Amino acid sequence: MIYTKHQQNIAESLNSDSDINDWKDWKWQIRHTIRTIDDFESILDVKFEPSEKNLMAKTLEKFPLAITPYYASLIDRTNLKDDPVFKQAFCSIEELNIDAWDMADPLSEEHDSPVNSITHRYPDRVLFHISSMCAMYCRHCTRKRKVGDRDTIPSKQTLNAGLKYIREHPEVRDVLLSGGDPLMLSDSTLKWLLDEVTAIPHVEVVRIGTRMPVVLPYRITDKLVSILSAYDNLWINTHFNHPREITESAETALRKLTRSGIPMGNQTVLLAGVNDCPQIMKTLMHKLVRNRVRPYYIYQCDLSEGLTHFRTPVSKGIEIIESLRGHTSGFAVPTYVIDAPGGGGKIPVSPNYVVSWSSNKVILRNYEGVICSYKEPDRYHPVQCDLNCRDCSLQLNTDGREYLPPVGIRKLMADYDDKIALVPADNERIKRREND
Ligand SMILES: *Cc1c(COP(=O)(O)O)cnc(C)c1O
């Protein structure tokens, strides 16, 4: 049921003459966002201990609160302590614990930022921060440093600077619209921006990263869908963390998007006390694919300040992948990644399946623990690839697109130049050579 008695009570306590049409109006939801502990108590009819409340208030000075009435209505009031929705939405006094390893910007997004709104980390794609607002402030936000501090509409000037950067960088073939939540922009601003980005000839793919289907599914209006579905190269990634979040309202929003032809992915964050359980993750992945949303990533929780209580060891993520791969549909298995502190980007981590290797056989183990051998071909002539593709007998056709010179490990493999090693900039041994 889309409008429960409980939701009606919440709506009426926020605005006495409200009805289901208000509830399903995303702007009404934004206007009635819960931002204080007192409001939370009165709207959900719960009471915190006064001593606890004082500490909670301290967390809000650092990391503000914002919960949509819709997402608040998913909270189980009878068991706040164990509730996965409550934990993602409401402040915990544990947010005040800062570990020695924690950082305000663990992913060094601001170092890899050539202009204000762009993070350019990978060779062919950029993150474009087009909104500094969110409908809900996830307590596990990796950009917690920014939450609420510039809760304004980004200026056209900032957006234009980002667009200019993309136009001037022909290597950018994939643009990720992020934020904040891009769907906090008005329909007209969003359309303007999408028109501008998709008009850039070298941009092949545009992605929107949004949590709206989870925290405010009513944002997915028919009008919005008609705007978004006009772009043939648009993908949307959303952010469900727990099967409880896939409600009828969320499913309706997802169905509108998928029926309009937009491919959907999901990025989950591994969170202690929320979804650090193979059974919960499997249920979540099954519910996602049933709604035609492809599980894309599971993220190890970042080293951002205020997230200590959400972090699990990496082994938990590997255990979750172990419980999925082979046990369920291949396309229900996301890639588990650690976004490397310092700006190294996403690094996949997985159980080991290669047990051993000889000069002609690979020894593998499957999900059942069966050890298998794969005989490699006797007659494969290894090609010394120098990436001179024009002279190669394989029929590469890049549609005229220039190839980027290879970087990193790929470059070592490809005999592209005479580099035979990748050496860290501050390597002691090399420094000694220079000094001698
Ligand atoms: C995650 C991310 C991307 C996109 O990575 P994919 O693996 O292509 O999804 C791009 N830029 C930055 C800075 C990112 O954090």
Side-chain angles (χ1 to χ4, degrees):
M1 208 178 15
I2 285 187
Y3 197 49
T4 60
K5 184 76 192 126
H6 176 49
Q7 291 176 331
Q8 193 179 340
N9 289 341
I10 291 177
E12 281 166 7
S13 73
L14 288 163
N15 179 355
S16 57
D17 56 0
S18 62
D19 58 22
I20 182 168
N21 292 322
D22 290 322
W23 184 261
K24 289 170 72 180
D25 172 1
W26 72 278
K27 290 185 176 160
W28 181 94
Q29 290 270 341
I30 299 277
R31 276 201 305 280
H32 292 91
T33 296
I34 301 164
R35 294 182 187 273
T36 68
I37 299 169
D38 286 337
D39 282 352
F40 184 88
E41 284 185 319
S42 71
I43 289 155
L44 283 193
D45 194 19
V46 294
K47 265 266 153 286
F48 300 111
E49 293 292 324
S51 59
E52 201 184 6
K53 234 175 114 169
N54 279 339
L55 285 169
M56 285 173 175
K58 283 220 174 71
T59 68
L60 292 204
E61 286 164 22
K62 236 184 141 179
F63 308 118
L65 185 82
I67 314 175
T68 57
Y70 162 79
Y71 198 69
S73 77
L74 309 186
I75 292 172
D76 175 5
R77 288 174 306 154
T78 63
N79 186 7
L80 291 183
K81 181 171 74 53
D82 295 328
D83 186 62
V85 179
F86 176 75
K87 286 183 186 180
Q88 293 180 69
F90 196 78
C91 54
S92 157
I93 57 177
E94 292 179 276
E95 290 174 32
L96 296 171
N97 301 334
I98 309 288
D99 269 2
W101 297 99
D102 293 352
M103 293 169 266
D105 176 19
L107 310 179
S108 296
E109 292 186 320
E110 288 167 22
H111 284 118
D112 287 334
S113 181
V115 298
N116 235 336
S117 52
I118 297 270
T119 304
H120 193 172
R121 166 154 309 149
Y122 296 103
D124 67 341
R125 54 209 189 277
V126 294
L127 204 60
F128 189 2
H129 305 267
I130 62 167
S131 157
S132 45
M133 299 175 291
C134 280
M136 186 184 88
Y137 298 159
C138 305
R139 302 318 291 182
H140 56 277
C141 182
T142 186
R143 301 198 184 108
K144 241 176 138 108
R145 67 184 186 279
K146 289 187 164 185
V147 172
D149 69 350
R150 275 181 285 151
D151 222 6
T152 50
I153 299 184
S155 67
K156 272 249 160 109
Q157 200 183 346
T158 309
L159 296 179
N160 274 318
L163 288 167
K164 180 164 180 281
Y165 181 86
I166 298 168
R167 279 190 205 104
E168 288 170 356
H169 287 79
E171 71 274 21
V172 176
R173 44 161 290 286
D174 177 3
V175 176
L176 277 86
L177 304 179
S178 178
D181 197 311
L183 299 189
M184 284 295 278
L185 297 182
S186 69
D187 289 353
S188 58
T189 307
L190 197 61
K191 180 173 183 321
W192 167 78
L193 197 92
L194 283 165
D195 282 342
E196 293 292 322
V197 175
T198 53
I200 302 172
H202 54 265
V203 173
E204 293 173 1
V205 173
V206 180
R207 308 188 234 175
I208 292 178
T210 176
R211 210 178 181 203
M212 286 296 190
V214 188
V215 298
L216 184 45
Y218 313 126
R219 173 65 184 103
I220 313 304
T221 59
D222 293 340
K223 166 102 186 299
L224 178 71
V225 172
S226 79
I227 291 172
L228 298 180
S229 62
Y231 306 96
D232 288 332
N233 52 355
L234 179 72
W235 297 60
I236 293 181
N237 264 324
T238 185
H239 173 178
F240 287 93
N241 286 334
H242 194 281
R244 275 257 310 280
E245 295 171 329
I246 308 186
T247 62
E248 245 182 84
S249 296
E251 288 187 318
T252 304
L254 295 174
R255 196 174 306 119
K256 283 186 187 185
L257 291 165
T258 55
R259 280 196 182 162
S260 82
I262 302 173
M264 300 278 305
N266 185 72
Q267 323 201 88
T268 297
V269 185
L270 176 54
L271 297 170
V274 172
N275 59 14
D276 52 337
C277 158
Q279 293 298 88
I280 288 176
M281 283 291 197
K282 192 194 267 185
T283 308
L284 173 64
M285 301 313 154
H286 285 171
K287 272 188 117 166
L288 287 168
V289 296
R290 209 165 72 198
N291 286 285
R292 287 197 280 175
V293 178
R294 169 78 155 94
Y296 181 44
Y297 283 140
I298 293 179
Y299 287 96
Q300 172 64 13
C301 185
D302 287 330
L303 296 179
S304 304
E305 289 175 358
L307 305 187
T308 51
H309 60 299
F310 278 129
R311 264 175 233 138
T312 67
V314 172
S315 53
K316 183 53 74 176
I318 293 178
E319 180 188 343
I320 286 165
I321 299 301
E322 186 74 69
S323 77
L324 294 172
R325 174 62 64 197
H327 299 272
T328 190
S329 325
F331 77 146
V333 185
T335 306
Y336 171 47
V337 293
I338 302 179
D339 212 338
K346 298 176 186 71
I347 300 175
V349 187
S350 103
N352 296 322
Y353 294 101
V354 175
V355 173
S356 198
W357 216 333
S358 75
S359 59
N360 62 10
K361 273 188 187 174
V362 191
I363 308 300
L364 305 150
R365 64 98 171 169
N366 77 354
Y367 73 101
E368 302 168 300
V370 172
I371 306 283
C372 317
S373 69
Y374 175 86
K375 166 75 177 63
E376 297 198 289
D378 290 328
R379 284 182 304 277
Y380 179 76
H381 297 291
V383 187
Q384 281 297 332
C385 176
D386 56 1
L387 288 179
N388 184 10
C389 302
R390 276 180 200 88
D391 295 343
C392 179
S393 62
L394 297 172
Q395 303 282 302
L396 174 68
N397 181 352
T398 61
D399 290 333
R401 198 172 183 115
E402 279 293 312
Y403 248 114
L404 293 179
V407 296
I409 310 289
R410 172 74 193 118
K411 175 157 135 176
L412 283 187
M413 282 179 165
D415 284 333
Y416 179 76
D417 57 19
D418 51 15
K419 272 252 158 57
I420 56 165
L422 296 176
V423 184
D426 59 352
N427 178 277
E428 307 277 339
R429 181 168 54 85
I430 302 296
K431 271 200 215 146
R432 211 157 44 232
R433 283 189 198 168
E434 284 162 5
N435 293 340
D436 284 349

